[in-house]
Amino acid sequence: KNPHINPLPSIPYSGSVSQFNKDFSLKIKMLTPLQEALTFDDVCLVPQFNNIPSRTIPNLETWLTKDLKVGMPLIPSNMDSVICPDLAQVIVENDSIPIFHRFTPLENQLEWVKQFPKKCFVSCGVTTPFDDLTKLIENGALGTCIDIAHGHSDTVLNLIKDLKKEFPESAVIAGNVCTPEAYHDLCVAGADAVKV
């Protein structure tokens, strides 16, 4: 407890609401340690010489998997707070591929797959029923993204092998990993791409 800071006012507060907000805000600022921050005035991007006649000329194509090329190097995160059908539509219109999250009922995932047949990936965890993955792939999912916090595990390696055995033409993205050994093991198991 800092003896130099008066405690926050207790409720009920006798002043006006706006005065309470000012007092409360001031006390919170006193409690918060100052942090160094940058503004736009502190940062300058220095352009370099370029020999490209137009900004429309560079090719932004890149590989999503070892066999699948996308038109732009942008894939929204497969989080339930990020990817949705509206954003997926924008991604598809710009020649890329959405990866839908796994935190929704199978019925919703099937709707997404039917809306974007052969243009989307579905995510799964290691406890996702294999029958659900089968339905999603058979209904048009381009591939599966095995998405867990620590992807360097026997369970993930086995799921990759099972998916590639059952659906050899369906792409598998697996992760998340952060070591060369994990990358190697997931690729050897059959992953077409690895999330780091």
Side-chain angles (χ1 to χ4, degrees), residues 22-158:
K22 287 178 188 174
D23 291 348
F24 185 75
S25 177
L26 180 61
K27 291 185 188 284
I28 291 299
K29 287 179 183 173
M30 292 171 142
L31 293 171
T32 306
L34 296 178
Q35 296 177 357
E36 185 175 338
L38 299 176
T39 69
F40 287 108
D41 294 333
D42 299 315
V43 178
C44 178
L45 300 177
V46 180
Q48 301 293 312
F49 175 79
N50 122 40
N51 61 0
I52 301 171
S54 169
R55 63 188 165 106
T56 62
I57 291 176
N59 182 346
L60 298 179
E61 288 183 341
T62 190
W63 294 96
L64 176 61
T65 71
K66 64 183 182 181
D67 299 317
L68 183 60
K69 197 179 262 192
V70 292
M72 68 172 180
L74 177 66
I75 305 287
S77 176
N78 59 330
M79 296 169 53
D80 59 355
S81 60
V82 176
I83 190 66
C84 63
D86 290 341
L87 180 56
Q89 185 63 44
V90 171
I91 295 301
V92 168
E93 288 170 359
N94 286 280
D95 200 24
S96 194
I97 298 178
I99 303 174
F100 283 103
H101 66 87
R102 62 188 171 107
F103 301 105
T104 192
L106 175 63
E107 294 74 29
N108 292 354
Q109 292 176 315
L110 284 167
E111 286 177 26
W112 297 335
V113 166
K114 289 174 184 172
Q115 185 177 352
F116 301 99
K118 299 299 177 192
K119 289 185 176 129
C120 74
F121 276 72
V122 292
S123 295
C124 71
V126 292
T127 60
T128 302
F130 200 83
D131 288 345
D132 289 0
L133 297 176
T134 299
K135 289 176 188 170
L136 292 164
I137 293 168
E138 288 177 349
N139 277 279
L142 186 58
T144 307
C145 178
I146 304 169
D147 183 40
I148 66 169
H150 182 59
H152 194 200
S153 67
D154 281 336
T155 312
V156 170
L157 297 174
N158 290 332

